[in-house]
Amino acid sequence: MAHGVPQTAMVLAAGYGERMRPLTNTKPKPLVEVSGRPLLDHVLDRLAQAGVATAVVNVHYLADQIEAHVAKRTAPRIVISDERDKLLDTGGGVVKALPLLGNAPFLLVNSDSIWLDGTRSNLQRLAAAFDPARMDALLLLAPSATSIGYAGRGDFAMAPDGRLRPRAEREVTPFVYAGAAIFSPALFRNAPQGPFSLNRLFNEAAEAERLFGLRLDGIWMHVGTPDAIALAERAILQSAA
């Protein structure tokens, strides 16, 4: 077991994947393949390699396909958080799953977030850098300019001590949230019920100076559209060469 890595993780896998159409007309986005493996397996493999014992996977769109797929896995152990009756967005999905996630800090990974690690596992780096006394959340951040398949304006500016400030409306910031983080359950103290975005809690934590970032070591790939799949596959091939 990797030292200090949370034993529990949440994988967000409930969305419709609308930007990935037509591939998601008949299969959920987490089962779209990159380099011969579903996106979801790239994420679960990485969690297993980092030493995570249990992954809570939320499901809504084409949920039966995801449940059948993960039933074959032994590591990490999979627990389903069922959102079939109502899609809860990123924040609401975590709130619903909190009873399954326990009272300790836990990892969160988006099911479409894949990256190439540098010399050390980025999930292990997150675990080593997380300090619950100072932080409610520690986000893995990628440089906007060198990320594959990403063309946005960034999400955060980062102070020298790692504190984060969300991007203002017309601003361009150097870092994009790479879809992986460690959260303290304290982040959800005042969270609403029902659907809401995690961005709401990120903003609150930033105002309290308890939102921090860690720069990804390696290359992050944003696999949001069919075009991005080929870009990601090319990067994975080059890394293996």
Side-chain angles (χ1 to χ4, degrees), residues 5-54:
V5 172
Q7 288 301 287
T8 309
M10 170 115 198
V11 179
L12 296 175
Y16 287 103
E18 287 171 355
R19 292 175 57 233
M20 194 60 92
R21 287 189 173 145
L23 299 179
T24 49
N25 287 344
T26 54
K27 72 163 63 172
K29 183 178 176 184
L31 298 187
V32 170
E33 291 195 356
V34 172
S35 295
R37 279 183 81 62
L39 285 164
L40 182 58
D41 282 336
H42 284 278
V43 170
L44 293 172
D45 289 351
R46 182 149 280 148
L47 289 170
Q49 287 158 8
V52 172
T54 301

Side-chain angles (χ1 to χ4, degrees), residues 4 7 27 42 49 61 64 84 88 140-141 157 163 173 176 179 188 199 205 209 224 235:
Q7 288 301 287
K27 72 163 63 172
H42 284 278
Q49 287 158 8
Y61 176 61
D64 294 356
R84 280 178 176 84
L88 293 169
L140 190 64
L141 301 180
R163 278 194 176 87
T173 51
V176 55
F188 299 89
N199 290 333
E209 298 193 331

Side-chain angles (χ1 to χ4, degrees), residues 192-204:
Q193 293 298 307
F196 73 95
S197 169
L198 277 172
N199 290 333
R200 174 173 172 169
L201 301 185
F202 293 167
N203 291 340
E204 290 174 6

Side-chain angles (χ1 to χ4, degrees), residues 83 88-97 192-198:
E83 295 179 27
L88 293 169
D89 202 350
T90 52
V94 179
V95 168
K96 179 181 169 75
Q193 293 298 307
F196 73 95
S197 169
L198 277 172

Side-chain angles (χ1 to χ4, degrees), residues 4-10 52 54 56 94 97-108 127 130-133 135-137 181-188:
V5 172
Q7 288 301 287
T8 309
M10 170 115 198
V52 172
T54 301
V56 177
V94 179
L98 282 175
L100 304 171
L101 292 164
N103 299 319
F106 58 91
L107 284 160
L108 177 127
F130 184 68
D131 176 5
M135 307 172 186
D136 286 340
I182 291 187
F183 296 154
S184 165
L187 181 68
F188 299 89

Side-chain angles (χ1 to χ4, degrees), residues 215-233:
R215 183 178 176 139
L216 178 138
D217 178 20
I219 300 170
W220 179 63
M221 294 167 274
H222 179 58
V223 189
T225 63
D227 293 347
I229 294 173
L231 295 172
E233 289 180 336

